[in-house]
C-alpha cells in the first residue's frame, strides 16, 4: 500500500463545558488545526513525533503503558484488540499544527488519527461513531483519563462551516451553520493543563454522586428545585451543569436565528458561571475573557476542561487576529507565559487522503 496521510482536527467547544460526562448537551466544532500522520502499514509500530523529536517502536503483543505520547497509540491498539479487530502495525511520522496540551483536544485528535489510519490500512469498516466510541474507550480505560464523548465526537463528525449540537446521552446530533460574518479567536494561555488531574476527576465524581442521590441518569433531567436536596459542594457543581445545559439549548436557538448578541451573552454567562461555581478557570483565562470583551469581542469563555489551556472569543469576521495580538501584548506584561493566538473556522472531521 502507498503512503497515506491522515488529517485529524482539534476542536473548540462553543458552549457546554463539563456537561458531557453527566450526559448533557454540548455544542462543539472541529477546527482547521490538525494532527497529521504520514505513513504506511508495517509489521510493528514505528512512529516519529515531530513535536517531541523522538521515535517510539513497539510490538503489538506488548501494549504496556509508558506514560508518554505513545500511550495514545497503544490505547487505540489495545481497544481494537479487545473488540476483536485484526490489525497490523504502522510506520510513519506524526506532525501537524495543533498545539499539544492546549485544551484543544490534541489527545483525542491523535487517537482519531491513528484509528482512521488503521481503519483505512486494514479495512476495518469502522463508522465515524465507532471511531469516536473506540477513541473514548482507549482514553478512559488505557490512558486513564475519565473524559466524556465530546472531544472524540466533534473530531469524528466535524463538518466544514458547521457547529454540532450533540445530546451526549442519546448521541443524537444536529449540524448548525456557523455564521460567515463571524470567526472564533483561540487564545492559548501557555498554561499546560493535565486532564487526568485530580481536579477534573474530583468534579466528575461529585457530579456522578449528585446524580446518584437524585436518582437521575442524566443532568438533563435535573431541575433547579431538586438541587436543594444535595450537600453544598454537589449542589454548586451540579447547579452549574444544569444551567449550562439550558445555555446550550439557548445558544443552539440563537445560532439558528443568527442572534449574535444572544450567542455572545450566553458565552460570557457560561464563563462567569464555570469560573465562580465550577472553579475550573484560572487568572490567565479570566484575564483573556475580560480583555477580549473590553476590546470588542462579542463573547468569550474558556474552552475545554479549564485549569489553564485555551479560551475563545467570538468576533466579527476579519477582526480576530488584531484583537488577539492586542490581548497577547497586555497578557505578557502580567503573566510569565507565552500565549498563542489564532483564528479558526469549523472544519471537516478526521480524513484520510
Amino acid at each position: 500500500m502507498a503512503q497515506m496521510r491522515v488529517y485529524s482536527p482539534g476542536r473548540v467547544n462553543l458552549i457546554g463545558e463539563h456537561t458531557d460526562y453527566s450526559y448533557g448537551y454540548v455544542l462543539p466544532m472541529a477546527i482547521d488545526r490538525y494532527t497529521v500522520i504520514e505513513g504506511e502499514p508495517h509489521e510493528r509500530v514505528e512512529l516519529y513525533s515531530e513535536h517531541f523529536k523522538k521515535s517510539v517502536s513497539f510490538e503489538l503483543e506488548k501494549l504496556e503503558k509508558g506514560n508518554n505520547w505513545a500511550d495514545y497509540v497503544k490505547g487505540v491498539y489495545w481497544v481494537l484488540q479487545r473488540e476483536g479487530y485484526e490489525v497490523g502495525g504502522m510506520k510513519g511520522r506524526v506532525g501537524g499544527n495543533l498545539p499539544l496540551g492546549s485544551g484543544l483536544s490534541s489527545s483525542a485528535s491523535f487517537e482519531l488519527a491513528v484509528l482512521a489510519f488503521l481503519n483505512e490500512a486494514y479495512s476495518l469498516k469502522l463508522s465515524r461513531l465507532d471511531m469516536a466510541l473506540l477513541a473514548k474507550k482507549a482514553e478512559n480505560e488505557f490512558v486513564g483519563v475519565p473524559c466524556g464523548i465530546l472531544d472524540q465526537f466533534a473530531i469524528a463528525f466535524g463538518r466544514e462551516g458547521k457547529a454540532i449540537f450533540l445530546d451526549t446521552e442519546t448521541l443524537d446530533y444536529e449540524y448548525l451553520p456557523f455564521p460567515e460574518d463571524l470567526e472564533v479567536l483561540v487564545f492559548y494561555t501557555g498554561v499546560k493543563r493535565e486532564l487526568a488531574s485530580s481536579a477534573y476527576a474530583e468534579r466528575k465524581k461529585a457530579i456522578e454522586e449528585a446524580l446518584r442521590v437524585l436518582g437521575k441518569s442524566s443532568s438533563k433531567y435535573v431541575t433547579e428545585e431538586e438541587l436543594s436536596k444535595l450537600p453544598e459542594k454537589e449542589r454548586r457543581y451540579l447547579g452549574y451543569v444544569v444551567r449550562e445545559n439550558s445555555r446550550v439549548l439557548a445558544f443552539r436557538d440563537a445560532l439558528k436565528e443568527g442572534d449574535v448578541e444572544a450567542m455572545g451573552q450566553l458565552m460570557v454567562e457560561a464563563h462567569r458561571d464555570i469560573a465562580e461555581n465550577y472553579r475550573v478557570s484560572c487568572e490567565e483565562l479570566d484575564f483573556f475573557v475580560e480583555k477580549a470583551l473590553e476590546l470588542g469581542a462579542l463573547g468569550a469563555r474558556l474552552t475545554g476542561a479549564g485549569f489553564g489551556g485555551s479560551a475563545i472569543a467570538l468576533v466579527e469576521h476579519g477582526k480576530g487576529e488584531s484583537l488577539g495580538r492586542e490581548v497577547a501584548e497586555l497578557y505578557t506584561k502580567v503573566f510569565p507565559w507565552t500565549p498563542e493566538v489564532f483564528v479558526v473556522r469549523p472544519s471537516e472531521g478526521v480524513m484520510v487522503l
Side-chain angles (χ1 to χ4, degrees), residues 96-158:
N97 60 357
L98 179 63
L100 305 192
S102 59
L104 302 173
S105 294
S106 55
S107 59
S109 175
F110 186 25
E111 287 157 349
L112 265 297
V114 174
L115 271 161
F117 183 99
L118 297 176
N119 190 37
E120 183 77 13
Y122 297 105
S123 303
L124 303 180
K125 297 184 170 59
L126 300 171
S127 69
R128 288 187 177 271
L129 183 58
D130 293 335
M131 288 197 287
L133 293 170
L134 288 166
K136 177 181 181 291
K137 201 166 192 179
E139 186 118 12
N140 292 167
E141 297 179 23
F142 188 87
V143 180
V145 178
C147 63
I149 191 68
L150 163 66
D151 298 351
Q152 295 84 0
F153 196 97
I155 291 163
F157 283 86

Side-chain angles (χ1 to χ4, degrees), residues 223-236:
T223 64
E224 289 274 0
E225 297 74 46
E226 288 171 312
L227 295 170
S228 61
K229 299 174 187 171
L230 297 169
E232 196 273 331
K233 183 176 76 173
E234 282 85 357
R235 183 168 70 245
R236 189 177 73 243

Side-chain angles (χ1 to χ4, degrees), residues 77-283:
Y77 274 97
W78 178 84
V79 78
L80 286 171
Q81 288 175 5
R82 283 191 64 187
E83 298 287 329
Y85 291 97
E86 288 191 23
V87 63
M90 60 192 297
K91 181 179 183 177
R93 300 172 73 85
V94 184
N97 60 357
L98 179 63
L100 305 192
S102 59
L104 302 173
S105 294
S106 55
S107 59
S109 175
F110 186 25
E111 287 157 349
L112 265 297
V114 174
L115 271 161
F117 183 99
L118 297 176
N119 190 37
E120 183 77 13
Y122 297 105
S123 303
L124 303 180
K125 297 184 170 59
L126 300 171
S127 69
R128 288 187 177 271
L129 183 58
D130 293 335
M131 288 197 287
L133 293 170
L134 288 166
K136 177 181 181 291
K137 201 166 192 179
E139 186 118 12
N140 292 167
E141 297 179 23
F142 188 87
V143 180
V145 178
C147 63
I149 191 68
L150 163 66
D151 298 351
Q152 295 84 0
F153 196 97
I155 291 163
F157 283 86
R159 187 164 288 179
E160 191 173 350
K162 303 283 199 299
I164 307 167
F165 168 74
L166 172 66
D167 178 331
T168 64
E169 183 190 30
T170 63
L171 300 184
D172 291 336
Y173 65 98
E174 180 182 0
Y175 288 114
L176 303 167
F178 188 80
E180 289 187 9
D181 56 351
L182 297 180
E183 58 191 23
V184 174
L185 169 70
V186 174
F187 186 94
Y188 170 41
T189 60
V191 182
K192 295 277 184 197
R193 34 131 297 270
E194 261 308 320
L195 198 59
S197 70
S198 57
Y200 180 94
E202 185 259 328
R203 278 155 185 76
K204 182 172 186 280
K205 194 174 170 187
I207 291 291
E208 286 168 348
E209 175 59 18
L211 292 176
R212 188 193 66 75
V213 168
L214 296 177
K216 305 285 183 178
S217 59
S218 158
S219 56
K220 297 182 303 183
Y221 308 131
V222 179
T223 64
E224 289 274 0
E225 297 74 46
E226 288 171 312
L227 295 170
S228 61
K229 299 174 187 171
L230 297 169
E232 196 273 331
K233 183 176 76 173
E234 282 85 357
R235 183 168 70 245
R236 189 177 73 243
Y237 285 170
L238 188 56
Y240 157 74
V241 172
V242 169
R243 291 187 297 276
E244 184 77 342
N245 279 328
S246 298
R247 282 189 289 264
V248 178
L249 294 173
F251 192 97
R252 175 195 63 181
D253 295 343
L255 194 50
K256 285 179 176 178
E257 292 158 16
D259 188 343
V260 175
E261 197 177 319
M263 287 160 58
Q265 199 174 337
L266 286 160
M267 288 173 76
V268 176
E269 278 174 26
H271 181 80
R272 291 184 178 150
D273 197 355
I274 203 170
E276 189 177 333
N277 294 303
Y278 218 63
R279 300 182 183 174
V280 300
S281 190
C282 60
E283 277 184 85

Side-chain angles (χ1 to χ4, degrees), residues 37 45-47 56 58 60 63 68-80 90 94 110-111 114 118 138 142-143:
I37 293 180
V45 173
E46 294 179 9
L47 286 174
V56 294
F58 57 86
L60 302 184
L63 300 176
N68 59 29
W69 63 273
D71 284 351
Y72 295 105
V73 188
K74 291 175 181 174
V76 167
Y77 274 97
W78 178 84
V79 78
L80 286 171
M90 60 192 297
V94 184
F110 186 25
E111 287 157 349
V114 174
L118 297 176
F142 188 87
V143 180

